[in-house]
């Protein structure tokens, strides 16, 4: 489960997370809307994709940063499906679902903090099972919050942009804490607050882009994701082996 190479937490990392949040939201919507798979069917497909990515990481002698970002995309898409499943299947309101998912995230982070597997070196997250579970849960919470605000304001064409503006402000506020987000333990509350806020933002921006065309938005955001990582290289060794 531990990824051998992970990107350093810095401007490039957060830029990648933001683009991945848009692309992941589009992929999550693409599965039921275009492929016509059920929520459970889509989750199973994404789980298999994540398993293949994790196995590729284990079989790779040196690892590859791309595998981490592919895993992030799979987790982001799964978070979209989980959020939809939580709302549509349970028939609970957005506030109740948000509270339940938030409580689950707090419990996972508490377990992660007390676990002997928690240590992080140089600001690089240790990508154990608890890390990916927290990433999936934080993504689900961000999706529920983004969709909840967007759908509570009518019409949706006004609610979604309004929710995007709120999420943008939240992202700016959290990312302003550079001293805590750049090179400190990935177990810090500010790190996970940023993950939730960016996921909420990505959900809204993905929905806005999907108003034009969901497949086109997914392809463009995916190309932007890949192009950004290829072109944007940190000058000071941004990619290091993950702690073991």
């Amino acid at each position: 489960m531990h990824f051998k190479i992970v990107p350093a937490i810095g401007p490039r990392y957060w830029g990648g997370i933001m683009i991945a949040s848009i692309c992941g939201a589009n992929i999550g919507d693409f599965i039921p809307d275009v492929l016509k798979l059920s929520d459970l069917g889509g989750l199973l497909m994404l789980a298999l994709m994540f398993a293949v990515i994790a196995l590729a990481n284990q079989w790779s002698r040196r690892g590859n940063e791309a595998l981490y970002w592919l895993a992030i995309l799979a987790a982001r898409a799964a978070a979209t499906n989980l959020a939809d499943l939580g709302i549509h299947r349970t028939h609970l309101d957005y506030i109740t679902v948000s509270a339940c998912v938030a409580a689950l995230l707090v419990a996972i982070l508490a377990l992660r903090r007390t676990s002997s597997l928690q240590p992080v070196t140089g600001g690089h997250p240790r990508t154990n099972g608890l890390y990916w579970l927290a990433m999936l849960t934080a993504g689900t919470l961000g999706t529920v919050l983004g969709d909840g605000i967007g759908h509570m304001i009518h019409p949706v064409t006004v609610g979604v942009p309004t929710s995007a503006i709120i999420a943008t402000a939240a992202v700016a506020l959290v990312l302003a804490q550079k001293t805590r987000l750049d090179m400190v333990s990935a177990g810090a509350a500010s790190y996970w607050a940023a993950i939730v806020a960016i996921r909420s933002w990505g959900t809204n921006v993905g929905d806005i882009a999907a108003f034009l065309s969901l497949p086109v938005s997914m392809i463009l955001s995916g190309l932007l994701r890949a192009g950004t990582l290829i072109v944007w290289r940190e000058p000071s060794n941004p990619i290091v082996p993950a702690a073991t």
Side-chain angles (χ1 to χ4, degrees), residues 130-193:
L130 286 175
Y131 172 84
W132 288 111
L133 183 58
M135 185 64 73
L136 177 62
T137 306
T140 303
L141 177 58
T143 302
V144 174
L145 290 173
D147 284 342
I149 297 174
H151 293 162
M152 284 190 295
I153 302 174
H154 298 286
V156 175
T157 52
V158 174
V160 170
T162 301
S163 183
I165 293 173
I166 295 173
T168 300
V171 169
L173 180 63
V174 176
L175 293 185
Q177 302 181 51
K178 292 182 182 297
T179 56
R180 297 193 65 193
L181 287 173
D182 284 345
M183 294 300 293
V184 298
S185 168
S190 55
Y191 173 88
W192 293 105

Side-chain angles (χ1 to χ4, degrees), residues 15-201:
I17 288 290
M18 294 178 76
I19 301 172
S21 293
I22 299 173
C23 187
N26 288 159
I27 294 174
D29 289 335
F30 182 86
I31 291 172
D33 293 352
V34 179
L35 298 183
K36 303 301 181 182
L37 290 178
S38 65
D39 291 331
L40 292 176
L43 286 172
L44 177 59
M45 184 183 73
L46 291 169
L48 290 174
M49 289 175 58
F50 186 90
V52 170
I53 294 168
L55 286 174
N57 171 74
Q58 294 301 315
W59 291 337
S60 173
R61 177 173 298 181
R62 296 184 178 181
N64 192 299
E65 184 199 25
L67 294 173
Y68 173 85
W69 289 113
L70 287 173
I72 287 290
L73 280 178
R76 286 293 191 262
T80 298
N81 290 160
L82 277 175
D84 291 341
L85 189 65
I87 294 296
H88 299 151
R89 292 295 182 91
T90 64
H91 303 291
L92 297 175
D93 58 82
Y94 283 100
I95 295 177
T96 302
V97 174
S98 296
C100 291
V101 178
L104 177 60
L105 177 60
V106 170
I108 294 171
L109 294 182
L111 180 61
R112 178 174 162 81
R113 180 173 293 276
T114 58
S115 171
S116 60
L117 297 176
Q118 167 62 21
V120 177
T121 302
H124 305 278
R126 185 177 175 85
T127 54
N128 53 28
L130 286 175
Y131 172 84
W132 288 111
L133 183 58
M135 185 64 73
L136 177 62
T137 306
T140 303
L141 177 58
T143 302
V144 174
L145 290 173
D147 284 342
I149 297 174
H151 293 162
M152 284 190 295
I153 302 174
H154 298 286
V156 175
T157 52
V158 174
V160 170
T162 301
S163 183
I165 293 173
I166 295 173
T168 300
V171 169
L173 180 63
V174 176
L175 293 185
Q177 302 181 51
K178 292 182 182 297
T179 56
R180 297 193 65 193
L181 287 173
D182 284 345
M183 294 300 293
V184 298
S185 168
S190 55
Y191 173 88
W192 293 105
I195 293 295
V196 172
I198 291 174
R199 185 63 182 93
S200 180
W201 175 86

